[in-house]
Amino acid sequence: MKYFQFTTYEENGGEYEEVIFPDFYYKWKKAFDEGRSPEFLDVEPLMDLLEIYYEDYDKVQLKKSIPYILNFHPGNTDLIEEVLFYLNELGEWIELYRLTEQLISSENTVYPKAYKISAMMHLGMEEEAFLYFQQLKREYENKPEDLSPIYQVLGNALNEIEHYEAALQVANEAISVLNSKMEFYWIQLSAYISLEEEKNALRTAEKIAKSAPLDKNIWFELGKAYIEMKRLDKAIEAFEFTITLGGDDINLFMNLMGLYEVNGNDLKSIDTAKRSMKIRPDYPEPFFMAVELCLKMDMLEEALGILDEGIEAGFERDREDLFWYKARIFVDQQEYKKAIAILEEGIKDTGDKNHKLVNEIKEIRKEFPYL
């Protein structure tokens, strides 16, 4: 994803998140706002554009962009799959059904047919969907690479509409007739977790782990699955192993910190935050969580040490907060001159474009005018 986000502050102290996107995002938005056709883009930026719309839950822009995306690169299987995937993930069932019907008549790829099943299932056309599934099984009988996405989409749809036993039947059948198993283990795992069949869920999770023992993404997803099973011990093991495999997703560290905190192991949570700072210094959220934990435990020196590490590490995002937190510690200790000195240092260091540090100095001097 080729964009980044950071937190800033309004004049009144309210918090909001500002996101900076690639230039082509703004150009397409302006074109749509003005009723014009957007500029041509290659496949990769279009993929990024779709992801931005999805992450931003921007259904309107996504639906506006689809005709242009498909017309710019007709027959591109990757783009077709991405468009259908995001419509499915956003629950746009009517639009998904309409588009799959359109693409089935014009594109020689299996994905529109597979996602048509999902649309039908979610629109209450379950009997018709199963009949269509049987038709596709006959059509692609000798093409297992095309049968696989058909089984996957159906299995996931059945889990989504809470037909868990049927999802298990579809996954079991797919495993017996296709060479690929991993995708269907995940469908089984989701169904077993929803059915609260812990033994089967744990057995399936073990199969997934054995199938990809050194895949950091698999272990991260397994950790989240263990949380759903309320097996926090196994979730911690999975997340820790993910880190040893090179996992650097910020949510990995946030999840692990939360698990340690729930288990009452605040020191481990703080240690995890420190590790995240070394691996992902561009995301300070776990770092600030660690500071809050230290303050909760009255570990003031530890909190100050963490803040100093952040300042020395050159954090750019939310950098003002490092100085603000540090100053607040001294305010709580009634060392107001030290607090003001830290805030003034922060103003020089960061520019304090949102006036958070200046406003804090004003508040201190308002309460203690003799300083």
Side-chain angles (χ1 to χ4, degrees):
M1 176 59 65
K2 297 176 177 60
Y3 68 89
F4 63 91
Q5 58 187 26
F6 58 91
T7 303
T8 186
Y9 297 87
E10 296 178 356
E11 291 295 328
N12 61 8
E15 220 176 284
Y16 70 96
E17 193 160 66
E18 182 178 347
V19 184
I20 296 179
F21 296 112
D23 288 342
F24 57 76
Y25 167 84
Y26 297 104
K27 289 178 180 178
W28 271 51
K29 186 177 187 306
K30 185 177 180 182
F32 288 140
D33 290 345
E34 295 175 354
R36 296 184 289 106
S37 297
E39 66 180 13
F40 176 87
L41 291 175
D42 289 328
V43 172
E44 187 176 346
L46 287 176
M47 292 282 202
D48 285 339
L49 199 61
L50 286 168
E51 188 175 354
I52 290 171
Y53 292 150
Y54 171 66
E55 294 291 341
D56 241 27
Y57 206 72
D58 194 341
K59 295 183 179 183
V60 174
Q61 292 290 78
L62 176 67
K63 288 191 280 189
K64 283 181 182 178
S65 70
I66 286 172
Y68 298 100
I69 290 174
L70 298 179
N71 286 335
F72 285 158
H73 299 278
N76 187 290
T77 305
D78 291 336
L79 277 176
I80 291 170
E81 184 182 0
E82 288 291 290
V83 165
L84 297 174
F85 170 78
Y86 287 127
L87 284 174
N88 189 75
E89 289 297 296
L90 291 171
E92 289 292 304
W93 312 122
I94 294 175
E95 180 67 14
L96 180 63
Y97 184 80
R98 184 199 64 76
L99 186 58
T100 56
E101 286 279 83
Q102 174 189 323
L103 291 172
I104 286 169
S105 63
S106 62
E107 300 291 346
N108 186 27
T109 173
V110 73
Y111 293 106
K113 297 175 182 178
Y115 279 104
K116 180 180 176 181
I117 294 175
S118 180
M120 295 169 78
M121 279 288 178
H122 286 91
L123 290 170
M125 303 162 63
E126 294 175 21
E127 186 175 345
E128 295 93 329
F130 275 114
L131 290 173
Y132 187 53
F133 171 60
Q134 297 300 329
Q135 175 190 324
L136 293 179
K137 282 204 298 183
R138 292 190 295 271
E139 181 179 345
Y140 293 100
E141 185 177 3
N142 298 317
K143 295 182 178 180
E145 69 280 3
D146 288 330
L147 267 181
S148 182
I150 294 169
Y151 274 104
Q152 287 177 54
V153 171
L154 176 58
N156 287 325
L158 287 167
N159 271 332
E160 287 162 7
I161 62 174
E162 301 182 2
H163 289 9
Y164 305 121
E165 296 289 356
L168 287 170
Q169 290 176 17
V170 168
N172 292 337
E173 181 179 314
I175 289 170
S176 68
V177 300
L178 300 172
N179 290 327
S180 58
K181 295 182 179 179
M182 177 68 81
E183 300 87 349
F184 304 104
Y185 286 154
W186 284 110
I187 292 171
Q188 289 178 326
L189 181 59
S190 178
Y192 285 135
I193 291 173
S194 297
L195 291 168
E196 298 183 357
E197 295 185 18
E198 184 177 303
K199 286 185 179 179
N200 284 328
L202 289 171
R203 193 178 300 119
T204 304
E206 192 174 327
K207 289 179 184 177
I208 292 171
K210 287 180 178 178
S211 298
L214 299 177
D215 189 317
K216 63 183 179 182
N217 297 317
I218 294 294
W219 279 99
F220 182 31
E221 293 301 320
L222 281 173
K224 291 189 282 186
Y226 286 131
I227 291 176
E228 286 190 71
M229 290 184 240
K230 297 181 175 59
R231 290 300 304 267
L232 304 189
D233 55 333
K234 296 189 76 66
I236 288 172
E237 289 175 9
F239 289 146
E240 286 286 8
F241 191 50
T242 304
I243 293 173
T244 66
L245 293 173
D248 62 356
D249 189 302
I250 195 63
N251 292 310
L252 165 64
F253 293 99
M254 299 285 278
N255 280 325
L256 189 54
M257 285 184 69
L259 288 170
Y260 280 132
E261 193 173 358
V262 167
N263 279 359
N265 199 336
D266 290 339
L267 292 176
K268 275 280 192 181
S269 186
I270 292 167
D271 178 66
T272 302
K274 288 181 175 180
R275 284 187 286 163
S276 81
M277 184 175 68
K278 293 175 182 175
I279 297 172
R280 290 300 302 270
D282 52 328
Y283 277 93
E285 286 88 348
F287 178 84
F288 288 120
M289 285 174 63
V291 173
E292 292 285 359
L293 278 173
C294 288
L295 295 177
K296 184 181 81 171
M297 299 165 66
D298 290 325
M299 296 168 55
L300 303 186
E301 290 300 321
E302 183 75 11
L304 288 169
I306 292 173
L307 290 166
D308 284 335
E309 282 184 51
I311 291 169
E312 291 170 13
F315 272 0
E316 292 183 11
R317 183 179 163 204
D318 301 338
R319 189 166 177 79
E320 294 95 339
D321 283 355
L322 297 170
F323 295 94
W324 183 86
Y325 267 106
K326 191 174 178 182
R328 288 305 308 174
I329 291 173
F330 285 105
V331 168
D332 291 340
Q333 298 300 304
Q334 299 182 345
E335 296 187 47
Y336 304 111
K337 288 184 179 179
K338 280 188 179 181
I340 289 174
I342 290 164
L343 292 166
E344 288 173 341
E345 178 191 350
I347 292 167
K348 291 178 183 177
D349 183 284
T350 67
D352 193 30
K353 67 175 182 177
N354 300 297
H355 313 298
K356 182 171 187 176
L357 305 182
V358 167
N359 288 337
E360 185 68 22
I361 291 175
K362 289 178 181 177
E363 287 297 317
I364 295 172
R365 285 185 167 147
K366 182 179 177 182
E367 190 170 351
F368 305 100
Y370 56 83
L371 293 173

mmCIF file with all atom_site columns, all heavy atoms in Angstrom, residues 160-174:
data_model
loop_
_atom_site.group_PDB
_atom_site.id
_atom_site.type_symbol
_atom_site.label_atom_id
_atom_site.label_alt_id
_atom_site.label_comp_id
_atom_site.label_asym_id
_atom_site.label_entity_id
_atom_site.label_seq_id
_atom_site.pdbx_PDB_ins_code
_atom_site.Cartn_x
_atom_site.Cartn_y
_atom_site.Cartn_z
_atom_site.occupancy
_atom_site.B_iso_or_equiv
_atom_site.pdbx_formal_charge
_atom_site.auth_seq_id
_atom_site.auth_comp_id
_atom_site.auth_asym_id
_atom_site.auth_atom_id
_atom_site.pdbx_PDB_model_num
ATOM 1   N N   . GLU A 1 160 ? -20.320 -17.282 6.122  1.00 0.00 ? 160 GLU A N   1
ATOM 2   C CA  . GLU A 1 160 ? -20.806 -15.918 6.348  1.00 0.00 ? 160 GLU A CA  1
ATOM 3   C C   . GLU A 1 160 ? -22.303 -15.887 6.626  1.00 0.00 ? 160 GLU A C   1
ATOM 4   O O   . GLU A 1 160 ? -22.775 -15.042 7.393  1.00 0.00 ? 160 GLU A O   1
ATOM 5   C CB  . GLU A 1 160 ? -20.470 -15.043 5.145  1.00 0.00 ? 160 GLU A CB  1
ATOM 6   C CG  . GLU A 1 160 ? -18.979 -14.695 5.055  1.00 0.00 ? 160 GLU A CG  1
ATOM 7   C CD  . GLU A 1 160 ? -18.575 -14.217 3.674  1.00 0.00 ? 160 GLU A CD  1
ATOM 8   O OE1 . GLU A 1 160 ? -19.481 -14.027 2.820  1.00 0.00 ? 160 GLU A OE1 1
ATOM 9   O OE2 . GLU A 1 160 ? -17.362 -14.039 3.426  1.00 0.00 ? 160 GLU A OE2 1
ATOM 10  N N   . ILE A 1 161 ? -23.066 -16.795 6.004  1.00 0.00 ? 161 ILE A N   1
ATOM 11  C CA  . ILE A 1 161 ? -24.511 -16.809 6.253  1.00 0.00 ? 161 ILE A CA  1
ATOM 12  C C   . ILE A 1 161 ? -24.883 -17.837 7.332  1.00 0.00 ? 161 ILE A C   1
ATOM 13  O O   . ILE A 1 161 ? -26.048 -18.199 7.489  1.00 0.00 ? 161 ILE A O   1
ATOM 14  C CB  . ILE A 1 161 ? -25.311 -17.066 4.956  1.00 0.00 ? 161 ILE A CB  1
ATOM 15  C CG1 . ILE A 1 161 ? -24.990 -18.430 4.346  1.00 0.00 ? 161 ILE A CG1 1
ATOM 16  C CG2 . ILE A 1 161 ? -25.061 -15.949 3.942  1.00 0.00 ? 161 ILE A CG2 1
ATOM 17  C CD1 . ILE A 1 161 ? -25.855 -18.793 3.149  1.00 0.00 ? 161 ILE A CD1 1
ATOM 18  N N   . GLU A 1 162 ? -23.840 -18.295 8.051  1.00 0.00 ? 162 GLU A N   1
ATOM 19  C CA  . GLU A 1 162 ? -23.999 -19.140 9.239  1.00 0.00 ? 162 GLU A CA  1
ATOM 20  C C   . GLU A 1 162 ? -24.531 -20.529 8.923  1.00 0.00 ? 162 GLU A C   1
ATOM 21  O O   . GLU A 1 162 ? -25.172 -21.167 9.765  1.00 0.00 ? 162 GLU A O   1
ATOM 22  C CB  . GLU A 1 162 ? -24.874 -18.434 10.283 1.00 0.00 ? 162 GLU A CB  1
ATOM 23  C CG  . GLU A 1 162 ? -24.302 -17.097 10.728 1.00 0.00 ? 162 GLU A CG  1
ATOM 24  C CD  . GLU A 1 162 ? -25.136 -16.418 11.787 1.00 0.00 ? 162 GLU A CD  1
ATOM 25  O OE1 . GLU A 1 162 ? -26.151 -16.997 12.221 1.00 0.00 ? 162 GLU A OE1 1
ATOM 26  O OE2 . GLU A 1 162 ? -24.786 -15.289 12.172 1.00 0.00 ? 162 GLU A OE2 1
ATOM 27  N N   . HIS A 1 163 ? -24.222 -21.036 7.757  1.00 0.00 ? 163 HIS A N   1
ATOM 28  C CA  . HIS A 1 163 ? -24.516 -22.429 7.408  1.00 0.00 ? 163 HIS A CA  1
ATOM 29  C C   . HIS A 1 163 ? -23.227 -23.232 7.590  1.00 0.00 ? 163 HIS A C   1
ATOM 30  O O   . HIS A 1 163 ? -22.599 -23.688 6.627  1.00 0.00 ? 163 HIS A O   1
ATOM 31  C CB  . HIS A 1 163 ? -25.014 -22.525 5.961  1.00 0.00 ? 163 HIS A CB  1
ATOM 32  C CG  . HIS A 1 163 ? -26.389 -21.978 5.741  1.00 0.00 ? 163 HIS A CG  1
ATOM 33  N ND1 . HIS A 1 163 ? -27.081 -21.279 6.699  1.00 0.00 ? 163 HIS A ND1 1
ATOM 34  C CD2 . HIS A 1 163 ? -27.220 -22.036 4.657  1.00 0.00 ? 163 HIS A CD2 1
ATOM 35  C CE1 . HIS A 1 163 ? -28.270 -20.922 6.228  1.00 0.00 ? 163 HIS A CE1 1
ATOM 36  N NE2 . HIS A 1 163 ? -28.373 -21.364 4.997  1.00 0.00 ? 163 HIS A NE2 1
ATOM 37  N N   . TYR A 1 164 ? -22.839 -23.398 8.838  1.00 0.00 ? 164 TYR A N   1
ATOM 38  C CA  . TYR A 1 164 ? -21.512 -23.928 9.136  1.00 0.00 ? 164 TYR A CA  1
ATOM 39  C C   . TYR A 1 164 ? -21.368 -25.401 8.760  1.00 0.00 ? 164 TYR A C   1
ATOM 40  O O   . TYR A 1 164 ? -20.308 -25.809 8.256  1.00 0.00 ? 164 TYR A O   1
ATOM 41  C CB  . TYR A 1 164 ? -21.199 -23.737 10.625 1.00 0.00 ? 164 TYR A CB  1
ATOM 42  C CG  . TYR A 1 164 ? -21.337 -22.305 11.071 1.00 0.00 ? 164 TYR A CG  1
ATOM 43  C CD1 . TYR A 1 164 ? -22.233 -21.944 12.086 1.00 0.00 ? 164 TYR A CD1 1
ATOM 44  C CD2 . TYR A 1 164 ? -20.583 -21.284 10.471 1.00 0.00 ? 164 TYR A CD2 1
ATOM 45  C CE1 . TYR A 1 164 ? -22.365 -20.633 12.493 1.00 0.00 ? 164 TYR A CE1 1
ATOM 46  C CE2 . TYR A 1 164 ? -20.716 -19.961 10.869 1.00 0.00 ? 164 TYR A CE2 1
ATOM 47  C CZ  . TYR A 1 164 ? -21.605 -19.647 11.880 1.00 0.00 ? 164 TYR A CZ  1
ATOM 48  O OH  . TYR A 1 164 ? -21.746 -18.348 12.267 1.00 0.00 ? 164 TYR A OH  1
ATOM 49  N N   . GLU A 1 165 ? -22.385 -26.189 9.000  1.00 0.00 ? 165 GLU A N   1
ATOM 50  C CA  . GLU A 1 165 ? -22.301 -27.610 8.644  1.00 0.00 ? 165 GLU A CA  1
ATOM 51  C C   . GLU A 1 165 ? -22.151 -27.771 7.138  1.00 0.00 ? 165 GLU A C   1
ATOM 52  O O   . GLU A 1 165 ? -21.368 -28.605 6.657  1.00 0.00 ? 165 GLU A O   1
ATOM 53  C CB  . GLU A 1 165 ? -23.550 -28.353 9.137  1.00 0.00 ? 165 GLU A CB  1
ATOM 54  C CG  . GLU A 1 165 ? -23.722 -28.371 10.652 1.00 0.00 ? 165 GLU A CG  1
ATOM 55  C CD  . GLU A 1 165 ? -22.708 -29.272 11.346 1.00 0.00 ? 165 GLU A CD  1
ATOM 56  O OE1 . GLU A 1 165 ? -21.924 -29.940 10.639 1.00 0.00 ? 165 GLU A OE1 1
ATOM 57  O OE2 . GLU A 1 165 ? -22.695 -29.286 12.595 1.00 0.00 ? 165 GLU A OE2 1
ATOM 58  N N   . ALA A 1 166 ? -22.880 -26.964 6.383  1.00 0.00 ? 166 ALA A N   1
ATOM 59  C CA  . ALA A 1 166 ? -22.769 -27.026 4.925  1.00 0.00 ? 166 ALA A CA  1
ATOM 60  C C   . ALA A 1 166 ? -21.383 -26.577 4.469  1.00 0.00 ? 166 ALA A C   1
ATOM 61  O O   . ALA A 1 166 ? -20.806 -27.150 3.532  1.00 0.00 ? 166 ALA A O   1
ATOM 62  C CB  . ALA A 1 166 ? -23.846 -26.158 4.276  1.00 0.00 ? 166 ALA A CB  1
ATOM 63  N N   . ALA A 1 167 ? -20.829 -25.578 5.141  1.00 0.00 ? 167 ALA A N   1
ATOM 64  C CA  . ALA A 1 167 ? -19.476 -25.110 4.810  1.00 0.00 ? 167 ALA A CA  1
ATOM 65  C C   . ALA A 1 167 ? -18.465 -26.230 5.028  1.00 0.00 ? 167 ALA A C   1
ATOM 66  O O   . ALA A 1 167 ? -17.539 -26.417 4.215  1.00 0.00 ? 167 ALA A O   1
ATOM 67  C CB  . ALA A 1 167 ? -19.116 -23.893 5.660  1.00 0.00 ? 167 ALA A CB  1
ATOM 68  N N   . LEU A 1 168 ? -18.641 -26.977 6.104  1.00 0.00 ? 168 LEU A N   1
ATOM 69  C CA  . LEU A 1 168 ? -17.739 -28.101 6.370  1.00 0.00 ? 168 LEU A CA  1
ATOM 70  C C   . LEU A 1 168 ? -17.860 -29.169 5.281  1.00 0.00 ? 168 LEU A C   1
ATOM 71  O O   . LEU A 1 168 ? -16.848 -29.735 4.841  1.00 0.00 ? 168 LEU A O   1
ATOM 72  C CB  . LEU A 1 168 ? -18.053 -28.712 7.737  1.00 0.00 ? 168 LEU A CB  1
ATOM 73  C CG  . LEU A 1 168 ? -17.619 -27.887 8.955  1.00 0.00 ? 168 LEU A CG  1
ATOM 74  C CD1 . LEU A 1 168 ? -18.189 -28.467 10.237 1.00 0.00 ? 168 LEU A CD1 1
ATOM 75  C CD2 . LEU A 1 168 ? -16.094 -27.825 9.032  1.00 0.00 ? 168 LEU A CD2 1
ATOM 76  N N   . GLN A 1 169 ? -19.080 -29.445 4.847  1.00 0.00 ? 169 GLN A N   1
ATOM 77  C CA  . GLN A 1 169 ? -19.275 -30.442 3.785  1.00 0.00 ? 169 GLN A CA  1
ATOM 78  C C   . GLN A 1 169 ? -18.569 -30.004 2.501  1.00 0.00 ? 169 GLN A C   1
ATOM 79  O O   . GLN A 1 169 ? -17.913 -30.822 1.831  1.00 0.00 ? 169 GLN A O   1
ATOM 80  C CB  . GLN A 1 169 ? -20.766 -30.651 3.530  1.00 0.00 ? 169 GLN A CB  1
ATOM 81  C CG  . GLN A 1 169 ? -21.495 -31.361 4.668  1.00 0.00 ? 169 GLN A CG  1
ATOM 82  C CD  . GLN A 1 169 ? -22.995 -31.465 4.411  1.00 0.00 ? 169 GLN A CD  1
ATOM 83  O OE1 . GLN A 1 169 ? -23.446 -31.306 3.288  1.00 0.00 ? 169 GLN A OE1 1
ATOM 84  N NE2 . GLN A 1 169 ? -23.748 -31.730 5.463  1.00 0.00 ? 169 GLN A NE2 1
ATOM 85  N N   . VAL A 1 170 ? -18.717 -28.725 2.151  1.00 0.00 ? 170 VAL A N   1
ATOM 86  C CA  . VAL A 1 170 ? -18.077 -28.216 0.938  1.00 0.00 ? 170 VAL A CA  1
ATOM 87  C C   . VAL A 1 170 ? -16.553 -28.296 1.068  1.00 0.00 ? 170 VAL A C   1
ATOM 88  O O   . VAL A 1 170 ? -15.858 -28.718 0.130  1.00 0.00 ? 170 VAL A O   1
ATOM 89  C CB  . VAL A 1 170 ? -18.514 -26.756 0.672  1.00 0.00 ? 170 VAL A CB  1
ATOM 90  C CG1 . VAL A 1 170 ? -17.641 -26.098 -0.400 1.00 0.00 ? 170 VAL A CG1 1
ATOM 91  C CG2 . VAL A 1 170 ? -19.979 -26.722 0.238  1.00 0.00 ? 170 VAL A CG2 1
ATOM 92  N N   . ALA A 1 171 ? -16.016 -27.903 2.216  1.00 0.00 ? 171 ALA A N   1
ATOM 93  C CA  . ALA A 1 171 ? -14.564 -27.942 2.424  1.00 0.00 ? 171 ALA A CA  1
ATOM 94  C C   . ALA A 1 171 ? -14.047 -29.375 2.380  1.00 0.00 ? 171 ALA A C   1
ATOM 95  O O   . ALA A 1 171 ? -13.005 -29.650 1.761  1.00 0.00 ? 171 ALA A O   1
ATOM 96  C CB  . ALA A 1 171 ? -14.209 -27.293 3.759  1.00 0.00 ? 171 ALA A CB  1
ATOM 97  N N   . ASN A 1 172 ? -14.765 -30.296 3.011  1.00 0.00 ? 172 ASN A N   1
ATOM 98  C CA  . ASN A 1 172 ? -14.347 -31.705 3.010  1.00 0.00 ? 172 ASN A CA  1
ATOM 99  C C   . ASN A 1 172 ? -14.333 -32.268 1.594  1.00 0.00 ? 172 ASN A C   1
ATOM 100 O O   . ASN A 1 172 ? -13.411 -33.002 1.209  1.00 0.00 ? 172 ASN A O   1
ATOM 101 C CB  . ASN A 1 172 ? -15.275 -32.535 3.895  1.00 0.00 ? 172 ASN A CB  1
ATOM 102 C CG  . ASN A 1 172 ? -15.126 -32.200 5.371  1.00 0.00 ? 172 ASN A CG  1
ATOM 103 O OD1 . ASN A 1 172 ? -14.083 -31.681 5.787  1.00 0.00 ? 172 ASN A OD1 1
ATOM 104 N ND2 . ASN A 1 172 ? -16.145 -32.477 6.159  1.00 0.00 ? 172 ASN A ND2 1
ATOM 105 N N   . GLU A 1 173 ? -15.370 -31.935 0.828  1.00 0.00 ? 173 GLU A N   1
ATOM 106 C CA  . GLU A 1 173 ? -15.440 -32.415 -0.558 1.00 0.00 ? 173 GLU A CA  1
ATOM 107 C C   . GLU A 1 173 ? -14.282 -31.834 -1.378 1.00 0.00 ? 173 GLU A C   1
ATOM 108 O O   . GLU A 1 173 ? -13.654 -32.557 -2.170 1.00 0.00 ? 173 GLU A O   1
ATOM 109 C CB  . GLU A 1 173 ? -16.776 -32.010 -1.184 1.00 0.00 ? 173 GLU A CB  1
ATOM 110 C CG  . GLU A 1 173 ? -16.956 -32.491 -2.621 1.00 0.00 ? 173 GLU A CG  1
ATOM 111 C CD  . GLU A 1 173 ? -18.290 -32.096 -3.207 1.00 0.00 ? 173 GLU A CD  1
ATOM 112 O OE1 . GLU A 1 173 ? -19.326 -32.276 -2.516 1.00 0.00 ? 173 GLU A OE1 1
ATOM 113 O OE2 . GLU A 1 173 ? -18.303 -31.597 -4.346 1.00 0.00 ? 173 GLU A OE2 1
ATOM 114 N N   . ALA A 1 174 ? -13.998 -30.559 -1.187 1.00 0.00 ? 174 ALA A N   1
ATOM 115 C CA  . ALA A 1 174 ? -12.916 -29.920 -1.935 1.00 0.00 ? 174 ALA A CA  1
ATOM 116 C C   . ALA A 1 174 ? -11.569 -30.577 -1.625 1.00 0.00 ? 174 ALA A C   1
ATOM 117 O O   . ALA A 1 174 ? -10.763 -30.827 -2.533 1.00 0.00 ? 174 ALA A O   1
ATOM 118 C CB  . ALA A 1 174 ? -12.858 -28.436 -1.603 1.00 0.00 ? 174 ALA A CB  1
#
